[in-house]
Each structure stands twice: as structure tokens, then as C-alpha cells.
Amino acid sequence: MNIGVDKTLIRDNDVTYSFKLKGLTGLIILSLQAGMAVQAAEVPAGVQLAAKQELVRANGYEPATLDPNLAESNVEFYIFNDLFEGLLRVGKNGEVIPALATKWETKGTVWTFHLRPEAKWSNGDPVTADDFVFSWRRLTDPKTASPYGSYLASAYVLNAAEINAGSKPPSELGVKALDAHTLQVTLAEPNSYLLKQLVHFPVLPVNRKVVEQYGKNWTQPQNFVGNGAFKLTQWVVNEKVVVERNTQYWDNAHTVLNKVTFLPLQGFPEVARFRAGEIELGYSAPPELYQQLKKNLGDEQLVTYPLLSTSYFAFNNRQPPFNDVRVRQALNLALDKQVIAGKVLGYGQQPALTFTPTGSGGFTLQPGVAAGWSQEQRIAQAKKLLAEAGFNAQHPLRFTLLYSNDATIKKIVIAASAMWKKNLGAEVTLQNQERKVVLDNINNGQYSAAFSRWLADYNDPSTFLNVFRSTSSENSAKYANEHYDRLLHQATAAQSPEQVQQAFQQAEDVLAVDTPVAPVYYEANATLVKPYVKGIDFTRQGLLYDKNVYILAH
């Protein structure tokens, strides 16, 4: 991310959009040519399409919710990409591109977004600026209890932090509709990565009339109203979610698929269904089968790509023994991350020496001093730290490690617990639960240690580092460090790319010492895809929009 200088943000159809994030008085940030289409399906001339434009895809798990204000994972993210559209979206190269907002400008800390007037909800209602106001207030209201309740506070939207803390009413949030198609967002202070934050699902609009009429049941198919390229037609719990073309969508003419079915499949069942021709697009191939699948299917049907995602062991910093930094440091040092990434997994994962993946937002953050040690040196230091914390052969470290019912995750936690046993004498009890239960327990602080993952909300180090803000609703480690919070504030207010780099680096340095979690590896994904399915965007933020997909005759 570049700050303080004019830089090209996007080049699309020979139109250049530029931005300047400091000294913004009266500056137009982005303006589209009238009628210019945003990203959509691009079918090459002469290609013969299948008569049946329907896609069946594995989606990992049963979605916990289909309410954007209440969701928190990529399982819901993939479905939301079909059902909703926000102000901005992610482009094929991970860049920010227009969606409902056709242009925007800023003056100081006030941003003004102009919505496309032709946008409609699936029930025919116009999409208005009021829909965003309602959704963002609802997201931030502590009564909603959103996992992303602090998201707009991390974006420095005026009064968001106070509202989420319960000291101000949602009506004082710095967002208002100037008219039906003009949304004004006021920040408490400049935010250099605001546009990136606006691609994420918590800030999608929701239809106020429908939400207020049906309450928590508004996401049931018979009540559901969305504004994306598809609309919800079926949701059979633990079986499937079905979406079909939304003819009210403003860019419906450029959508090719008529129907997408999401199945809660992953691992071996996913591979079996793919081989049987029952699904065309996978979620994540199991590492045990990766080499076999690669040999039999080749790169066309098994696509491997890196993700902006870190897998890690979370520690509850408020509970013994993990309120002792020496215990956290010891467990982190005693892990052989190269073995987990290269041998337990082994299809592109890289050992995580910082919490922020390399290259996020164009930054590369350096790891702590222990990264230069041999594994033997790390283990020796880990033993010393654990002994200083009062644990030894007569009084071994004991704790319970929580993880979700996933075959790959099970292999990882078994390997890690064996390393901790061998290197430190730690006695680890493994506790397996359903994914939704694990998420709830982690969010509520009802755990000692847990395996977790963080997939980037947007392409910038802040999406990783903000997790550990003391006021973050995603801070499941319950970590708090005022100096760390100040460093992230400095990154937001920085006047140059060098200052941003420095603040982010110092924040990572603090994490390297405090070790609120133990980063294990940066994720990669291996996705099964039939050769006749085209238009899929394989990005470091995961798969993008089904509106871009089309099925060839086969």
C-alpha cells in the first residue's frame, strides 16, 4: 500500500484511476466512464457454451449463517460473493475495483460514495444509501454481537469504537445517506487502507425492510432478499445451499451461470464426488491425496495457489498457563514448522515466521531473531523458558488443544502435540468439536489453546495485525498491549510508505516477543476443477465470483 504520493490503483479498459491518501482535500479518488462495466464473465469469441449453465461446488462446511453482519469465515464468504454486492469488490489480481459505487471522492476525513442508480434488490426494491447505513449501524451495535463488530472501528469510522463499546448509540455512527444514491462516510482520522476494507463482507448492505420484518429468519430462502448476481432459493442444513440467477441484478446481462449449488464437502468425500462427476469445483484437496491427484489429473484439474492466510495455534492469554509469556514462547519455539508445512502438508504451504504472510499489501515483514536459529537452538531455548515458568518432568505442562473436525487439521494437531511432547515433555489433550462450536468457543474465550486460521479480509498487513488490537472483536487470544495498539495507529496515520513499513515492522516485532499465538504456516490451496469450468479467479484471497464463471460444452 502506498501513502502520501499519487499512485495508479487500477488500469482497466485503458482507464486509469488514481488516488492520494494524504492531503486529500477535494480530490476525486475514482471516477468511472459512464456505462463502463465492472468485472464480469468474459467468454471468448467462438467458444461453445454448454446448454446447461449450472455449477456444483464443494464449500467445505455448513455455513454458520447467511447474514453478512453475523458471519466470520470463508465458507460464508464464497456464498456472499454470489448473493450480495458491496460498494467495492476484489479484482482478478487482488486489486480494489468498483461494484455498487461508480465513483467516490474525499475531502479531509469525509468520503462520499456515489451508488449506481440502476441497482436493485432481488425483490425489485432499489438499493439505496440507507441500506448501507442500516447495515453498518447493525454491524457495529453491540446488541448484534457480530464477530466483526469492531470492523468499522478498525477502519476509524467516526464513533464506531464508542458504539461497539456501548458508550454511544448506533445512530451516531459516522455514516449517512445524503440522498438515495449518495453515501457519506466520516472518519475520526485518515485511514490509508479504507478502500481495501470496504471489499469485505461485514460491510455489505442488507435490506432493512426484510431484516426488520422477519428478524433472525430473514435468511431463510422464502424470506431472503439479496442484491448480488444470484438469489437464494434453497438452504437445506448439512446438505446444500442453492442460488439461482437474480434477474434484478444490475449487470445480469453479463452473468452466464443460471444456478450454483454449494455442498458442505471437504477432504476425501469431496474427491470422491469430484471423481464421480457430481461436483465440478472443489474446496480443498486433502494433502494425503495431493501427489496422486496431481499425477492423475494434472495442473488443469488440480490448481494449486498460495493464499493470504496464516494457520496458527491460538492461546488464551488470560488463562493459566498461557498468561505466562514464557509458556507461549516455548510452545512456539518447540514447533518444527518446516516439517508441518513441508511434510505433514506439502503442496505449497510455507513455515510462518511472522503472523503476516510475505507480500501482503506489497510489504515483507522480517521475523524475530529466533528465525535465524537452528531447530536445536530453538528447542534448547524453549526448554529453558518452560523451566523458568515452573514446568519440568515432575510438573509437566498440561493443556487441552481444541480443533474442528477436519481430517487435515487433525493431522496437524497430532504432529504438533507430538513435537511438544518430545521436545518439552508437554502433555496435550486433543479435543475435537464441530466447526461452528469451535468458532463459538474461541470467540467467547472458552478455550485454553486452539488451532485456528486467518484468511485476509483484504490485501494489506493491517488485516492480520488488527486481529490483536486490544479492542478487536476478532482478538480471540485476548491479547492486550497498549504499545502495540499505538504502533497500528501510527501505521494508519503514516505519511509515507517507509513510515508504514516501519510501524508494521515494529508491530510484528512486538508480536514476535509477546507471542499471543504461534504462527505455524502460510496456507496454500489445491482446488479440484473440471476442465470445462472456466472464468474462475484463483487469488491469494481465495476464489472470487461465480458471476465470472461459465461452462463449456462437453
Side-chain angles (χ1 to χ4, degrees), residues 465-484:
L465 300 174
N466 280 342
V467 170
F468 301 106
R469 285 180 183 266
S470 58
T471 56
S472 171
S473 55
E474 290 289 346
N475 185 0
S476 55
K478 310 304 179 186
Y479 170 71
N481 183 318
E482 292 182 2
H483 176 54
Y484 180 82

Side-chain angles (χ1 to χ4, degrees), residues 221-247:
Q222 66 273 20
N223 305 327
F224 190 90
V225 172
N227 71 321
F230 299 87
K231 61 182 180 181
L232 181 67
T233 57
Q234 293 185 66
W235 183 7
V236 183
V237 175
N238 291 321
E239 183 179 333
K240 62 182 177 181
V241 172
V242 181
V243 304
E244 297 183 17
R245 181 195 287 259
N246 174 18
T247 58

Side-chain angles (χ1 to χ4, degrees), residues 158-461:
L158 185 66
N159 295 327
E162 293 82 358
I163 293 166
N164 194 235
S167 61
K168 287 187 177 181
S171 59
E172 293 192 28
L173 186 67
V175 56
K176 66 179 178 179
L178 300 184
D179 57 43
H181 300 110
T182 309
L183 180 72
Q184 184 184 85
V185 179
T186 302
L187 306 182
E189 57 187 88
N191 177 1
S192 57
Y193 46 82
L194 176 68
L195 297 181
K196 292 182 179 182
Q197 289 186 290
L198 296 184
V199 304
H200 198 34
F201 65 74
V203 290
L204 289 168
V206 295
N207 187 294
R208 178 173 187 167
K209 179 174 66 176
V210 174
V211 173
E212 291 183 340
Q213 180 177 355
Y214 296 106
K216 65 179 181 180
N217 293 320
W218 80 268
T219 56
Q220 295 302 306
Q222 66 273 20
N223 305 327
F224 190 90
V225 172
N227 71 321
F230 299 87
K231 61 182 180 181
L232 181 67
T233 57
Q234 293 185 66
W235 183 7
V236 183
V237 175
N238 291 321
E239 183 179 333
K240 62 182 177 181
V241 172
V242 181
V243 304
E244 297 183 17
R245 181 195 287 259
N246 174 18
T247 58
Q248 299 287 345
Y249 179 57
W250 70 269
D251 198 27
N252 178 54
H254 291 98
T255 303
V256 177
L257 290 180
N258 293 316
K259 180 179 178 180
V260 183
T261 300
F262 296 86
L263 303 180
L265 288 175
Q266 49 88 29
F268 289 91
E270 169 190 335
V271 174
R273 298 283 288 272
F274 182 84
R275 283 172 164 162
E278 297 175 3
I279 63 172
E280 289 96 10
L281 179 61
Y283 177 75
S284 182
E288 298 92 337
L289 298 180
Y290 177 76
Q291 294 300 332
Q292 176 189 343
L293 291 169
K294 187 174 180 64
K295 179 180 178 180
N296 295 338
L297 300 177
D299 294 336
E300 186 180 23
Q301 293 190 70
L302 183 66
V303 180
T304 307
Y305 52 99
L307 293 173
L308 274 178
S309 181
T310 303
S311 289
Y312 60 97
F313 289 107
F315 306 128
N316 191 330
N317 287 216
R318 293 181 183 174
Q319 289 186 4
F322 300 114
N323 58 347
D324 190 326
V325 65
R326 295 169 297 187
V327 173
R328 304 194 300 266
Q329 290 173 338
L331 291 175
N332 182 48
L333 289 168
L335 284 174
D336 192 330
K337 300 174 184 182
Q338 184 64 58
V339 168
I340 294 176
K343 294 184 178 180
V344 177
L345 297 169
Y347 52 86
Q349 293 84 356
Q350 297 296 321
L353 302 180
T354 58
F355 189 74
T356 304
T358 302
S360 179
F363 293 92
T364 297
L365 304 182
Q366 300 302 315
V369 63
W373 298 350
S374 67
Q375 190 60 37
E376 290 74 17
Q377 289 174 310
R378 295 190 190 107
I379 292 171
Q381 178 66 9
K383 289 179 177 178
K384 178 182 177 182
L385 289 166
L386 206 59
E388 291 175 357
F391 296 98
N392 50 45
Q394 291 71 41
H395 180 52
L397 175 67
R398 294 187 176 95
F399 63 92
T400 298
L401 179 61
L402 182 65
Y403 70 101
S404 61
N405 57 345
D406 177 292
T408 301
I409 294 176
K410 183 177 181 179
K411 290 184 62 176
I412 294 167
V413 298
I414 289 174
S417 61
M419 292 174 184
W420 286 329
K421 176 66 174 178
K422 176 183 177 182
N423 298 332
L424 300 177
E427 298 179 2
V428 184
T429 300
L430 301 182
Q431 184 179 8
N432 173 275
Q433 293 178 339
E434 291 293 324
R435 170 181 168 274
K436 186 178 185 304
V437 177
V438 170
L439 290 175
D440 288 343
N441 284 334
I442 291 176
N443 288 336
N444 295 328
Q446 302 300 313
Y447 77 103
S448 293
F451 180 83
S452 192
R453 290 167 167 163
W454 186 259
L455 177 65
D457 296 339
Y458 49 93
N459 188 7
D460 193 78

Side-chain angles (χ1 to χ4, degrees), residues 100-117:
L100 285 184
T102 60
K103 62 181 180 179
W104 51 91
E105 65 266 0
T106 184
K107 186 175 182 179
T109 56
V110 178
W111 291 73
T112 305
F113 295 87
H114 302 274
L115 310 185
R116 54 180 75 251

